[in-house]
Amino acid sequence: MKELEERIRTDGRVLGKDVLKVDSFLNHQVDPMLMERMGEEFYKHFKDSGINKILTVESSGIAPAVMTGLKFQVPVVFARKHKSVTLSDDLYTSEVYSFTKKTSNHISIAKKYLSSDDKVLIIDDFLANGQAVNGLNTIIEDAGATLAGIGIVIEKSFQKGRQMIDKSGIPICSLAKIKAFENGQVVFDEEED
């Protein structure tokens, strides 16, 4: 998605060897018009997959997931990272390690929001090492639901997440693929999904 790549070039900041900061439009301040166009792109890619539920992890995946759900006209469920007093014990859970934050989180989804009748599309902000996707897939499998596809806003192709998903055979669509960070700049992989 060329528009997303341009936003990454102009507003993104490379931190160190493997972190991209995009907090001006994706994960602190959100550009709703850009999110809407991302939702359209995910819809175009997966519209014939029979999807009836969108799944993401709080919090940065919520905006693109909601816009994708709007295009599909289906509910969006987000896995919570922290258990609240309003979340019962009737949960699907999985552990997810964040390499960026150097912490593990137990993510949870109430069982009443995911069932064996669901054909799920995962939407996430980043794909790096694949931990969030793995955690969500564990929950999908525990629910007996079907994972129909994975939509990623920004993929860091130089990390192992994509290779792991490709081995699984699950359809994936990444809107921006980063091949490398060189001299503080983003180098995009021009290869199409």
Side-chain angles (χ1 to χ4, degrees):
M1 184 176 172
K2 294 297 177 195
E3 179 185 6
L4 176 58
E5 290 179 1
E6 276 310 306
R7 284 300 290 276
I8 292 168
R9 277 191 186 98
T10 59
D11 297 337
R13 286 194 1 230
V14 175
L15 304 176
K17 296 183 296 185
D18 56 4
V19 175
L20 175 65
K21 189 170 182 172
V22 288
D23 61 346
S24 67
F25 64 90
L26 179 60
N27 55 20
H28 192 63
Q29 175 175 274
V30 174
D31 179 338
M33 289 71 65
L34 179 60
M35 295 304 119
E36 181 179 26
R37 290 185 287 279
M38 287 180 196
E40 289 169 3
E41 288 298 315
F42 288 132
Y43 177 77
K44 285 180 201 172
H45 193 86
F46 293 107
K47 67 182 177 188
D48 297 323
S49 301
I51 289 157
N52 67 341
K53 198 151 289 178
I54 308 293
L55 192 58
T56 192
V57 176
E58 71 174 347
S59 64
S60 298
I62 294 174
V66 166
M67 291 303 189
T68 304
L70 186 62
K71 297 299 173 188
F72 276 93
Q73 296 290 290
V74 301
V76 175
V77 178
F78 64 89
R80 293 184 168 223
K81 291 181 182 174
H82 307 286
K83 190 172 178 182
S84 74
V85 294
T86 62
L87 209 55
S88 74
D89 289 331
D90 202 18
L91 306 170
Y92 295 114
T93 62
S94 182
E95 188 171 353
V96 174
Y97 181 75
S98 169
F99 286 89
T100 306
K101 295 178 181 143
K102 307 278 189 253
T103 59
S104 286
N105 290 299
H106 283 87
I107 60 171
S108 307
I109 292 176
K111 288 184 177 180
K112 68 181 177 179
Y113 296 126
L114 194 61
S115 75
S116 59
D117 297 330
D118 291 321
K119 198 159 186 187
V120 178
L121 173 61
I122 290 174
I123 298 291
D124 206 6
D125 60 339
F126 276 92
L127 175 62
N129 291 294
Q131 296 298 301
V133 168
N134 265 350
L136 289 171
N137 193 30
T138 296
I139 288 173
I140 291 166
E141 289 173 351
D142 290 349
T146 303
L147 178 54
I150 300 166
I152 301 295
V153 175
I154 301 170
E155 172 187 321
K156 294 191 267 181
S157 303
F158 58 91
Q159 292 180 292
K160 66 182 180 181
R162 178 61 180 246
Q163 294 79 17
M164 178 192 66
I165 292 168
D166 284 345
K167 285 181 189 174
S168 73
I170 300 163
I172 183 170
C173 171
S174 297
L175 300 182
K177 290 179 169 181
I178 297 172
K179 182 169 47 175
F181 296 142
E182 293 177 359
N183 301 317
Q185 299 297 311
V186 175
V187 178
F188 290 101
D189 185 345
E190 300 304 323
E191 176 183 313
E192 293 293 317
D193 268 332

